[in-house]
Amino acid sequence: MWKKILVPLDGSDPAELALPYAEELATAFKSELILLYVGEASEEQYLHMHRLYLQKIAVQTKKAVERVSPVVISGKPSEAIVKYTEKNDIRLIVMASHGHSSIIPWAKGGIASKVIEGVGVPLLLIKETKRRKTKEKHLISRILLPLDGSEAGEAAITRVKELKSRLEAEVILLEVVSEGRHLHTVGGLDYILYPETELETFKAEARTYLEKVYKRLYRGKGELSVEIKTGEVAKEILNFAKQKSVSLIAISSHGHSGMTKWVFGSTAQKIISDSPIPVLVVRAPAGVA
């Protein structure tokens, strides 16, 4: 599935937080791991130092991964990462959203955001401020897959199915049902709660939908369960992830909006922005609602 995995690095410890995750996935999927350093024009004199840095990381990484390729290129980081991804058949990007080089700093989350917007391949975003300590067999051991009942919201299902099997990971399917909806009134924009009977109907529909997805995922290794919650969607997803000690949230970057659906675009953005837990962002195909 992921023949080539790209890890952008900038010489900093925060950026290197992506490496253990990339190593785990490259080992599980027998992928080539490409370590990429992008030096801007003003760093031309330091390119040799960057190559030595990547070679050092490559030697360390080869203890776990069979194929590792260090690559140094010039350009503006976000643009260069996107262009390299498109031209070299990269299937997954694993990167930290915070990084800092002693020469050229990464904007706080800015580069990661631009890469998410610019590429069509899945991106695993690591946002932790310190390395995780885990007693699990894998770093990715419990995956939360939020869904909204739409086809576009299902973009991450295939990726999660592979992760479940290869890593023997537990997967939790979650749908959050909004308790009400915004309604334009004479006084402005009001939030109107659904009647209890209507809310129960929405919850029943959500469970029926998740049980259908369950049947697509239950085969193979790894545990699988279904959860229904009510409330503010992004907030409930993040709270649930924390309560269940989730190690990865997998989301579609687009989705369908409607009375019982939630807008994956804005919800995904909030999760990407606020989650301290790694987030796998999978873009829905163009034209899928």
Side-chain angles (χ1 to χ4, degrees), residues 147 173-180 191 193-207 210 227-240 243 260 262:
L147 297 164
L173 305 177
L174 172 68
E175 181 160 351
V176 179
V177 178
S178 296
E179 295 176 310
Y191 189 74
L193 293 175
Y194 294 125
E196 188 62 30
T197 54
E198 193 170 7
L199 187 61
E200 288 303 315
T201 298
F202 293 156
K203 289 164 68 175
E205 291 174 349
R207 183 165 295 279
L210 290 184
E227 294 281 351
I228 307 290
K229 296 292 181 181
T230 58
E232 184 184 336
V233 180
K235 182 179 179 180
E236 289 297 326
I237 291 172
L238 294 173
N239 286 342
F240 184 85
Q243 292 167 7
T260 63
W262 43 286

Side-chain angles (χ1 to χ4, degrees), residues 17-60:
L17 287 171
L19 285 170
Y21 291 90
E23 290 174 7
E24 178 166 291
L25 294 173
T27 300
F29 291 94
K30 303 185 185 307
S31 312
E32 177 184 1
L33 196 57
I34 300 172
L35 310 176
L36 179 69
Y37 190 105
V38 181
E40 297 204 35
S42 59
E43 295 184 76
E44 190 71 32
Q45 59 184 315
Y46 301 105
L47 290 183
H48 178 65
M49 292 172 56
H50 301 330
R51 291 191 184 95
L52 291 176
Y53 162 71
L54 284 191
Q55 288 170 4
K56 178 183 176 181
I57 297 296
V59 170
Q60 296 171 351

Side-chain angles (χ1 to χ4, degrees), residues 159-198:
R159 311 296 177 177
V160 169
K161 184 176 182 179
E162 286 288 336
L163 290 171
K164 174 178 176 290
S165 178
R166 296 291 182 101
L167 301 178
E168 299 181 28
E170 175 185 356
V171 174
I172 304 172
L173 305 177
L174 172 68
E175 181 160 351
V176 179
V177 178
S178 296
E179 295 176 310
R181 63 191 178 99
H182 287 96
L183 186 67
H184 288 281
T185 65
V186 176
L189 186 65
D190 292 336
Y191 189 74
I192 309 299
L193 293 175
Y194 294 125
E196 188 62 30
T197 54
E198 193 170 7

Side-chain angles (χ1 to χ4, degrees), residues 125-129 132 238 271-279:
L125 194 61
I126 312 300
K127 296 186 60 180
E128 296 155 323
T129 56
R132 295 178 69 239
L238 294 173
I271 292 170
I272 292 167
S273 174
D274 296 350
S275 174
I277 299 166
V279 178

Side-chain angles (χ1 to χ4, degrees), residues 192-266:
I192 309 299
L193 293 175
Y194 294 125
E196 188 62 30
T197 54
E198 193 170 7
L199 187 61
E200 288 303 315
T201 298
F202 293 156
K203 289 164 68 175
E205 291 174 349
R207 183 165 295 279
T208 299
Y209 166 71
L210 290 184
E211 287 173 352
K212 289 181 180 179
V213 178
Y214 181 99
K215 291 178 181 179
R216 294 166 58 182
L217 294 176
Y218 79 94
R219 292 187 180 85
K221 299 177 181 178
E223 297 180 15
L224 182 63
S225 60
V226 169
E227 294 281 351
I228 307 290
K229 296 292 181 181
T230 58
E232 184 184 336
V233 180
K235 182 179 179 180
E236 289 297 326
I237 291 172
L238 294 173
N239 286 342
F240 184 85
K242 182 178 180 181
Q243 292 167 7
K244 293 293 184 179
S245 299
V246 166
S247 51
L248 174 70
I249 301 174
I251 56 174
S252 167
S253 60
H254 297 280
H256 183 73
S257 174
M259 183 174 289
T260 63
K261 313 296 182 184
W262 43 286
V263 185
F264 251 102
S266 59

